[in-house]
Amino acid sequence: MSAPRPELPTLPVTFRPTLTRVVLLSVGLAMFLVITVVALTLERLNPGERASFVFVAALFFGVLALLSRPRVSADDTGVTVVNLTRTRRLAWQEILRVNLRSGDPWVFLDLSDGTSLPALGIQPGLAKERAIRDARALRALAETRGTGSDDTASGA
């Protein structure tokens, strides 16, 4: 028995791990504030040392902000996959299959050029049910708008 067909989301739509993003940015901001306050309150530090504390705090925040960047945006013409350091635009016809198998850390897109593209914007880490819903919605969009098919044994 297969899962019920999900409703197609209204385009444009963006999928992102919202809870993960909130946690990463909150922790990053808290770390930045704590380290900066410590740097400013320690009396024995000279200005250069204070600046280095603030720089390290900003570096930590930057890394966590980078980790919170992934998203998958779909519109009428295709999908934009934003991962940690790269952004890739795909036409609907390039996406053959949307996979989120049990144990996968995120969605994988099987592409017409024979490669597979990780889409970190849909990840079951902290919100598994939402990730499964998002993966099903993206799969339905790919099947409706592109050349995708639903002949995998994947869990989503």
Side-chain angles (χ1 to χ4, degrees):
M1 182 174 165
S2 67
R5 193 119 180 111
E7 269 188 50
L8 290 177
T10 304
L11 294 178
V13 64
T14 298
F15 305 105
R16 69 172 26 152
T18 306
L19 183 57
T20 301
R21 182 177 170 88
V22 167
V23 169
L24 288 170
L25 292 175
S26 298
V27 167
L29 181 61
M31 284 177 47
F32 178 80
L33 292 174
V34 167
I35 293 172
T36 301
V37 167
V38 167
L40 297 176
T41 58
L42 289 176
E43 296 174 7
R44 293 185 172 195
L45 296 180
N46 65 44
E49 291 169 328
R50 288 179 205 270
S52 68
F53 265 73
V54 174
F55 175 76
V56 169
L59 189 62
F60 282 149
F61 181 78
V63 168
L64 293 179
L66 184 67
L67 291 172
S68 71
R69 183 175 182 251
R71 66 181 165 81
V72 177
S73 298
D75 59 32
D76 290 325
T77 60
V79 175
T80 302
V81 177
V82 178
N83 286 332
L84 296 179
T85 58
R86 290 194 51 188
T87 299
R88 183 158 174 199
R89 179 74 182 163
L90 301 165
W92 285 112
Q93 294 74 22
E94 294 179 78
I95 302 171
L96 299 179
R97 192 172 296 118
V98 177
N99 293 309
L100 179 59
R101 292 175 288 267
S102 179
D104 280 351
W106 40 71
V107 162
F108 289 90
L109 304 177
D110 292 341
L111 305 179
S112 59
D113 65 1
T115 63
S116 182
L117 176 68
L120 280 65
I122 303 174
Q123 48 183 271
L126 296 177
K128 184 177 181 177
E129 292 305 315
R130 178 175 175 162
I132 291 170
R133 243 185 353 264
D134 290 350
R136 286 180 176 154
L138 183 61
R139 176 183 290 160
L141 284 169
E143 290 171 358
T144 302
R145 296 182 167 274
T147 59
S149 62
D150 190 22
D151 58 359
T152 69
S154 59

